Amino acid sequence: MDIRGQSIIEAQQFHPELLEELFERADDLQGKHSNRSILCGRRVAMLFYEASTRTRLSFETAVDDLGGTFLSTENAAEFSSAAKGERLEHTARMAAGYADAIVLRHPADNAAAVASDYLEKLRCHVPVINAGCGKLQHPTQALADLYTIRQLLGRMDNFSIAIVGDLAHARTSRSLAYLLAKFHGIRIRFVAPEELAIGRDITAYLTRHDVVYDESHDLAEVIGSVDFIYTTRVQQERFEKQEEYERIKGCFDFTRELVKKMKPGGKLLHPLPINGEVAAEVDFMSQAAYFQQADNGLSVRKALLEMIL
Ligand code: CP
């Protein structure tokens, strides 16, 4: 499957054969010093309008490790000409004049699609990679999540997973659900307070793709029944009313005692950052797989950049 030159906007773009190809390549590119020259002579622009640790650093490391160069604006909202009123489309066009691909993080749900469509209209064939836009999608995080499941389980089908927390605002949970829908025998259990339930667009998609799922507000009822727990932080910055955030935060906190109730061999995944919803001591438990997941973001992004560029 050839995705050369293609923008990556949403997780639904990936089908199982492409994922397998990508993940096999990520296996080859494991480690922080693969010292290749695959991207020699290629340049990637990192436009980050929102804070990031993993996504920006892993994309930058990926480019560097593959022998390419990158331009980076880590606080584009303040330090690019967006601060002077420049439209995203124009900033993207500028970056496209200097680089061969654009990695974009932005608070607007449709930012990656807007930038990509605008460049196409200008016949400027520079792919845009969605590095987390708004509340809807973070496809490259979902690739790292699914790759980690494949690494831990040895397969990408026939398992159960609880997706827990602020499902209304968690773009990573939504992108992961879209990817999981591509495989057989997966049972998804969504666990969230009523106000933060997963979007009806996702449940409709799962129904259309014959994915078995249910929804619960009771983590205690679900925790011992699944192979993986995927939890996320409650996203304070996406609440319109802060009192609503204060009321809901802490509703699904993972303590050491709670993690011990997971199914034997079960793994706790989290896209990170953690903001108190997983106790510090859980980092040292065998169930915690979130650092492995973050490390995997590097090899998956290397493989993706190689395939696109
Ligand atoms: N998971 C994730 O997107 O982390 P960052 O916000 O640190 O990039």
Side-chain angles (χ1 to χ4, degrees), residues 267-286:
K267 295 290 179 188
L268 180 64
L269 300 167
H270 192 308
L272 306 180
I274 286 167
N275 181 21
E277 67 280 359
V278 180
E281 60 208 7
V282 175
D283 292 356
F284 306 100
M285 297 176 75
S286 61

Side-chain angles (χ1 to χ4, degrees), residues 147-162:
Y147 180 75
T148 305
I149 290 171
R150 173 184 176 271
Q151 206 172 50
L152 290 166
L153 203 61
R155 60 176 192 272
M156 294 188 279
D157 55 12
N158 293 301
F159 64 86
S160 54
I161 182 166

Side-chain angles (χ1 to χ4, degrees), residues 140-287:
T140 68
Q141 176 64 49
L143 294 175
D145 301 339
L146 184 59
Y147 180 75
T148 305
I149 290 171
R150 173 184 176 271
Q151 206 172 50
L152 290 166
L153 203 61
R155 60 176 192 272
M156 294 188 279
D157 55 12
N158 293 301
F159 64 86
S160 54
I161 182 166
I163 302 183
V164 179
D166 178 358
L167 305 183
H169 303 115
R171 56 199 180 196
T172 63
S173 301
R174 293 172 52 88
S175 290
L176 180 60
Y178 279 125
L179 279 194
L180 295 176
K182 309 275 181 182
F183 295 91
H184 296 291
I186 292 179
R187 180 180 185 199
I188 306 179
R189 309 200 67 185
F190 294 109
V191 185
E194 204 167 349
E195 305 87 327
L196 300 180
I198 193 79
R200 295 305 94 180
D201 55 335
I202 298 283
T203 53
Y205 184 89
L206 297 177
T207 301
R208 280 201 306 282
H209 289 80
D210 296 323
V211 180
V212 177
Y213 74 89
D214 61 27
E215 293 182 84
S216 170
H217 310 311
D218 185 3
L219 182 58
E221 182 258 320
V222 170
I223 193 159
S225 71
V226 289
D227 302 308
F228 295 96
I229 301 235
Y230 184 93
T231 191
T232 55
R233 82 192 157 94
V234 179
Q235 303 207 10
Q236 181 172 9
E237 68 275 24
R238 306 204 196 280
F239 278 78
E240 282 172 18
K241 293 183 186 156
Q242 280 311 296
E243 55 276 21
E244 189 77 349
Y245 165 73
E246 293 296 335
R247 194 172 60 74
I248 283 166
K249 74 169 186 194
C251 56
F252 296 128
D253 282 356
F254 282 82
T255 60
R256 184 177 171 79
E257 289 62 43
L258 189 63
V259 171
K260 279 188 188 164
K261 292 184 181 156
M262 286 174 65
K263 188 173 167 176
K267 295 290 179 188
L268 180 64
L269 300 167
H270 192 308
L272 306 180
I274 286 167
N275 181 21
E277 67 280 359
V278 180
E281 60 208 7
V282 175
D283 292 356
F284 306 100
M285 297 176 75
S286 61
Q287 290 89 342

Side-chain angles (χ1 to χ4, degrees), residues 5-9 13 92 100-104 111-117 119 125-131 133 308:
Q6 279 187 23
S7 287
I8 303 299
I9 306 297
Q13 281 174 254
D100 302 300
I102 296 170
V103 174
L104 177 67
V114 165
S116 174
D117 292 350
L119 294 180
H125 302 299
V126 171
V128 176
I129 302 174
N130 180 349
C133 287
I308 293 170

